[in-house]
Amino acid sequence: MSQGACVACFCANGHIMTLSVPGLRPLMDVNYLPLTDMRIARTFCFTNLGQAMYLCSPTEIQRITYSQDICENLQAGELFTPVETPEAPNRGFFKGLFGGGAQSLDREELFGEVAAGKASRSLAQHIPGPGGIEGVKGAASGVVGELARARIALDERGQKLGELDERTAAMMASADSFSKHAHEMMLKCKDKKWYQF
């Protein structure tokens, strides 16, 4: 197969066939896999280098080789690279926190001046915002404007629904009238022959 071109195909009966080009003379016919799963048939793909791949499950790719040259030069790679585990730390955080023996801890170092009994100087601090009272008034007027627009849109929608209801009632009355006239016409013409019209 390496000297010339050929056509490879996966048949519906599970055979892999290779045919010569242009004469379509069979070069190889192998009963590879019975077709039990349509996923295999939908995902079976040949490459230019004498290999084929397909999905044998939703998460597994199966690769096959049908060329002797490729099979001899095939290099199997490793999925994971081995790495040495690092040394374990001498003392863990939780071991030092809960079971590490007696240690002298400074209260100020752990909790700061607040826990040491001194009041915080930044307890109530004024943070100026954008615009102050004017900004709040502007935001409120913007909200009022949006509410007014929403109210107008709601009123317009109510009017359109009312008009639609009226038009529907008029159409129903017209359809009822048409039905009555059609029934009367049918009764009138019931006994007449086609040539009497």
Side-chain angles (χ1 to χ4, degrees), residues 74-140:
L74 190 63
Q75 297 175 355
E78 292 184 14
L79 187 59
F80 300 103
T81 307
V83 176
E84 290 185 30
T85 19
E87 292 273 334
N90 293 339
R91 186 170 180 191
F93 173 74
F94 288 112
K95 186 174 183 180
L97 187 63
F98 296 115
Q103 281 184 331
S104 63
L105 296 174
D106 188 16
R107 183 177 176 147
E108 277 190 34
E109 182 183 327
L110 287 176
F111 300 109
E113 291 182 0
V114 176
K118 296 180 182 176
S120 173
R121 285 187 271 269
S122 63
L123 188 61
Q125 188 178 35
H126 175 68
I127 301 172
I133 297 293
E134 291 80 20
V136 172
K137 286 180 182 176

Side-chain angles (χ1 to χ4, degrees), residues 6-143:
C6 67
V7 174
C9 62
F10 180 67
C11 300
N13 60 1
H15 286 232
I16 294 178
M17 292 183 67
T18 55
L19 306 166
S20 66
V21 177
L24 296 180
R25 186 175 48 90
L27 298 175
M28 180 177 75
D29 185 2
V30 177
N31 184 7
Y32 175 65
L33 182 70
L35 189 60
T36 56
D37 190 5
M38 286 305 293
R39 178 186 301 113
I40 295 171
R42 283 194 316 262
T43 60
F44 208 96
C45 176
F46 290 98
T47 68
N48 291 340
L49 302 174
Q51 296 182 2
M53 289 183 263
Y54 62 90
L55 283 173
C56 54
S57 76
T59 58
E60 288 181 274
I61 295 176
Q62 180 73 38
R63 181 177 72 173
I64 62 170
T65 301
Y66 56 92
S67 170
Q68 184 66 32
D69 296 337
I70 298 297
C71 190
E72 289 172 356
N73 298 328
L74 190 63
Q75 297 175 355
E78 292 184 14
L79 187 59
F80 300 103
T81 307
V83 176
E84 290 185 30
T85 19
E87 292 273 334
N90 293 339
R91 186 170 180 191
F93 173 74
F94 288 112
K95 186 174 183 180
L97 187 63
F98 296 115
Q103 281 184 331
S104 63
L105 296 174
D106 188 16
R107 183 177 176 147
E108 277 190 34
E109 182 183 327
L110 287 176
F111 300 109
E113 291 182 0
V114 176
K118 296 180 182 176
S120 173
R121 285 187 271 269
S122 63
L123 188 61
Q125 188 178 35
H126 175 68
I127 301 172
I133 297 293
E134 291 80 20
V136 172
K137 286 180 182 176
S141 66
V143 169

